[in-house]
Amino acid sequence: MKKYHISKHHRFITVGLSYQKADAHLRGKFALEKGAAEALLEQAREEGIDGLLVTSTCNRTELHGFASAPQHLIRLLCYHSQGSASEFEAVGYVYQDQDAIAHLFRVGAGLDSQILGDFEIISQLKSSFLQSRSKGLANAFLERLVNSVIQASKRIKNETGISSGATSVAFAAVQYLLARVPDIDKR
């Protein structure tokens, strides 16, 4: 099998934290506003990272990319957020190579969301990719990976019933209130 040059780093790594282990306060400490994400990407490029995707939502903050070691990405995340390495160690996760790729597919498919089938993440992943591309950190591998995740998400949404109910936390909350609060329109 022919080997292709993907990155000078031979490890594809995901580091992050999500609603599954981190409460809202801790997720907020690691949240990356657009300016912080851009600064993180610029620093990553200066430090020799040649492919990186930054995703920060209310439910998760993740870095997906090529680095020499997970600690490099964790350090960048902590530097550009209000979170510390010890806090990350307590609630964060690290996936490498095939596990990192599989994780990104689970996230994009809505299987790793608070509401099963939540597809808001796809538009967030698209935005993250465009931001990475604007900073010169969207290599060919990341582009193909993100496109594959988007295509898989579309197929799952169109060919299964996974998104037939509530597809976001906000929508589920509204539906819950409408069903359980009498005379809500008068409140």
Side-chain angles (χ1 to χ4, degrees), residues 71-141:
Q71 293 74 16
H72 191 178
L73 297 180
I74 294 167
R75 182 181 51 75
L76 284 168
L77 175 60
C78 292
Y79 182 80
H80 291 279
S81 71
Q82 302 300 314
S84 69
S86 61
E87 289 170 320
F88 181 87
E89 188 176 312
V91 298
Y93 46 81
V94 174
Y95 298 109
Q96 296 186 56
D97 301 324
Q98 293 297 325
D99 293 334
I101 294 167
H103 173 75
L104 189 56
F105 271 94
R106 279 191 310 277
V107 169
L111 299 175
D112 195 53
S113 299
Q114 279 185 311
I115 302 295
L116 186 64
D118 182 348
F119 288 102
E120 288 180 21
I121 190 69
I122 285 300
S123 65
Q124 294 159 338
L125 286 173
K126 287 178 187 177
S127 296
S128 297
F129 176 78
L130 293 173
Q131 187 176 38
S132 292
R133 185 166 59 189
S134 75
K135 296 296 180 186
L137 285 166
N139 63 23
F141 178 85

Side-chain angles (χ1 to χ4, degrees), residues 58-75:
C58 59
N59 287 326
R60 72 183 66 251
T61 297
E62 295 179 336
L63 306 182
H64 309 273
F66 294 93
S68 55
Q71 293 74 16
H72 191 178
L73 297 180
I74 294 167
R75 182 181 51 75

Side-chain angles (χ1 to χ4, degrees), residues 3-186:
K3 290 201 172 207
Y4 295 94
H5 173 73
I6 297 172
S7 169
K8 66 182 176 182
H9 303 288
H10 300 291
R11 303 223 71 132
F12 184 72
I13 301 168
T14 293
V15 301
L17 62 145
S18 74
Y19 71 94
Q20 292 176 341
K21 285 181 69 179
D23 63 21
H25 173 73
L26 203 49
R27 289 193 315 270
K29 289 179 83 172
F30 284 94
L32 297 167
E33 298 299 325
K34 185 175 181 181
E38 287 179 357
L40 188 154
L41 289 167
E42 288 173 11
Q43 183 177 351
R45 189 182 65 242
E46 290 168 5
E47 293 181 5
I49 291 178
D50 56 3
L52 185 63
L53 185 66
V54 177
T55 307
S56 188
T57 71
C58 59
N59 287 326
R60 72 183 66 251
T61 297
E62 295 179 336
L63 306 182
H64 309 273
F66 294 93
S68 55
Q71 293 74 16
H72 191 178
L73 297 180
I74 294 167
R75 182 181 51 75
L76 284 168
L77 175 60
C78 292
Y79 182 80
H80 291 279
S81 71
Q82 302 300 314
S84 69
S86 61
E87 289 170 320
F88 181 87
E89 188 176 312
V91 298
Y93 46 81
V94 174
Y95 298 109
Q96 296 186 56
D97 301 324
Q98 293 297 325
D99 293 334
I101 294 167
H103 173 75
L104 189 56
F105 271 94
R106 279 191 310 277
V107 169
L111 299 175
D112 195 53
S113 299
Q114 279 185 311
I115 302 295
L116 186 64
D118 182 348
F119 288 102
E120 288 180 21
I121 190 69
I122 285 300
S123 65
Q124 294 159 338
L125 286 173
K126 287 178 187 177
S127 296
S128 297
F129 176 78
L130 293 173
Q131 187 176 38
S132 292
R133 185 166 59 189
S134 75
K135 296 296 180 186
L137 285 166
N139 63 23
F141 178 85
L142 275 181
E143 185 168 3
R144 291 203 57 176
L145 178 59
V146 170
N147 283 335
S148 295
V149 170
I150 291 167
Q151 292 305 313
S153 172
K154 284 180 185 176
R155 284 195 66 196
I156 290 165
K157 187 174 184 177
N158 293 330
E159 296 177 19
T160 71
I162 195 170
S163 63
S164 60
T167 57
S168 73
V169 174
F171 182 77
V174 168
Q175 294 302 311
Y176 180 86
L177 290 172
L178 289 173
R180 289 174 178 74
V181 177
D183 302 320
I184 195 166
D185 58 333
K186 296 175 184 164

